[in-house]
Amino acid sequence: MDSSGSENIINNIKHPIPQFQKPAVYEIVVNGKLDKKWASRMGGMSIEYFPQIGGHEITTLTGNISDQSALAGILNTLYENHFVIVSVNIKGVTDSE
């Protein structure tokens, strides 16, 4: 990618960029229905279900994650339990852990 492509990416970011060891609010979307009792295993993220075409479920996890290591742990848990990760979006940077 040339420098103009990098500039376009940076210009489209609408929030502060998170730091490696700082908390941020994330939204993780997975294919499948993740039981709400998994919330504590997912770092206390809120879990919502949305119907998808064909009767499948989409689950959205939203919440404050303490740092990039915790984010990697959540994504790894989803992977190990065979959830297809559709997207990971940062919603904002926070000062609280």
Side-chain angles (χ1 to χ4, degrees), residues 8 11 15 17 19 25 28 31 37 40 43 47 52 59 62-63 65 69 72 77 82 88 91:
N8 285 337
N11 291 334
H15 49 71
I17 296 173
Q19 296 180 25
V25 177
I28 302 170
N31 188 21
K37 67 183 176 187
S40 63
I47 298 174
Q52 182 187 15
T59 300
T62 307
I65 299 177
S69 176
T77 298
H82 300 196
V88 178
K91 295 300 190 179

Side-chain angles (χ1 to χ4, degrees), residues 29-33 48-52 56-60 86:
V29 179
V30 298
N31 188 21
K33 188 173 183 178
E48 293 184 70
Y49 309 120
F50 298 94
Q52 182 187 15
H56 297 282
E57 295 278 342
I58 292 291
T59 300
T60 301
V86 176

